[in-house]
Amino acid sequence: MTRVLLAEDDEAIAEPLARALRREGYEVEVRADGAEALEVALRGVDLVVLDLGLPTMDGLDVCRRLRAAGSTTPVLILTARSDEVDTVVGLDAGADDYVKKPFRLAELLARTRAMLRRGNADPENVPALVIDEESRRVFLRGEELSLTGKEFALLRVLHRDRGKVVSREQLMHEVWDTEWYGSTKTLDVHISVLRRKLGDNDEPRLISTVRGVGFRLDVDE
């Protein structure tokens, strides 16, 4: 049975979320303390759903120590922090994806299913990316990815111009309908999340950064 660690100290969130995960068929272990959550994670689970605001040891430290110990367990962070810089810090700490509170339960469950599928995927397979624009669905190696509207729009633009460098200005204009005036932190956050959802951790990456210009998606036609 798939084992999920839910590290959340708010019972109003932890209890219904644990019930929903169990209905999905997962074995769920709940911890309200960061140090205890790290201990459980190091013993071995298939997925960690991790709140950032934990007592004793916060979620960022849990994630960092988990990665420092060599664990590759997928980590989905829950954050009530609206500042995107905090989200970037969480991803840089080793998290694979994030959901902001308050979240829709259906979205969170879809993210957990997608992360578990990616974790079980055969690493020898060459990634094959398929984007169905009419249904707004994306498939990687035959498995559907759970993307937000902005993530889908960003990947669609990169895929349309695959093999070419797409400037930051163009991405901000097409995806966010805004002009670029210096800061593209929002774009960087979405690129970081897309890379994790694509399993894009090793060189050569599917999404390459062209310093000072923009990004390039390298996939087969």
Side-chain angles (χ1 to χ4, degrees), residues 114 117-119 121-122 125-132 137-147 155 194-201 206 217-219:
R117 285 197 299 267
R118 292 199 299 273
D122 183 355
N125 288 340
V126 177
L129 187 65
V130 176
I131 297 180
D132 187 333
R137 301 171 74 186
V138 177
F139 299 88
L140 179 66
R141 296 190 293 271
E143 297 289 347
E144 185 171 1
L145 301 183
S146 175
L147 302 183
L155 186 58
L194 268 179
R195 280 175 169 155
R196 283 165 171 79
K197 290 186 176 182
L198 291 168
D200 203 11
N201 301 314
L206 293 179
L217 178 68
D218 295 310
V219 293

Side-chain angles (χ1 to χ4, degrees), residues 87-105:
T87 303
V88 173
V89 171
L91 295 172
D92 287 343
D96 298 276
D97 198 0
Y98 73 98
V99 174
K100 289 185 178 181
K101 298 177 180 178
F103 52 81
R104 292 186 302 109
L105 184 57

Side-chain angles (χ1 to χ4, degrees), residues 18-151:
R19 287 197 301 270
L21 289 167
R22 290 180 180 121
R23 285 197 298 269
E24 292 282 305
Y26 307 139
E27 178 183 328
V28 182
E29 192 159 352
V30 181
R31 289 291 183 274
D33 175 274
E36 292 180 4
L38 178 60
E39 182 180 345
V40 173
L42 289 174
R43 288 204 302 263
V45 294
D46 298 297
L47 174 69
V48 177
V49 180
L50 179 65
D51 179 39
L52 289 186
L54 293 171
T56 305
M57 181 188 300
D58 70 26
L60 292 177
D61 282 338
V62 172
C63 197
R64 289 191 186 102
R65 295 192 188 194
L66 189 61
R67 295 303 183 228
S71 173
T72 59
T73 301
V75 175
L76 173 66
I77 59 175
L78 308 178
T79 176
R81 304 170 186 177
S82 59
D83 192 335
E84 287 173 340
V85 173
D86 287 327
T87 303
V88 173
V89 171
L91 295 172
D92 287 343
D96 298 276
D97 198 0
Y98 73 98
V99 174
K100 289 185 178 181
K101 298 177 180 178
F103 52 81
R104 292 186 302 109
L105 184 57
E107 177 190 358
L108 189 143
L109 293 176
R111 298 280 187 97
T112 61
R113 287 192 293 268
M115 292 177 70
L116 286 166
R117 285 197 299 267
R118 292 199 299 273
N120 293 328
D122 183 355
E124 297 301 318
N125 288 340
V126 177
L129 187 65
V130 176
I131 297 180
D132 187 333
E133 294 200 27
E134 290 187 2
S135 65
R136 298 183 66 82
R137 301 171 74 186
V138 177
F139 299 88
L140 179 66
R141 296 190 293 271
E143 297 289 347
E144 185 171 1
L145 301 183
S146 175
L147 302 183
T148 66
K150 291 298 186 185
E151 290 163 3

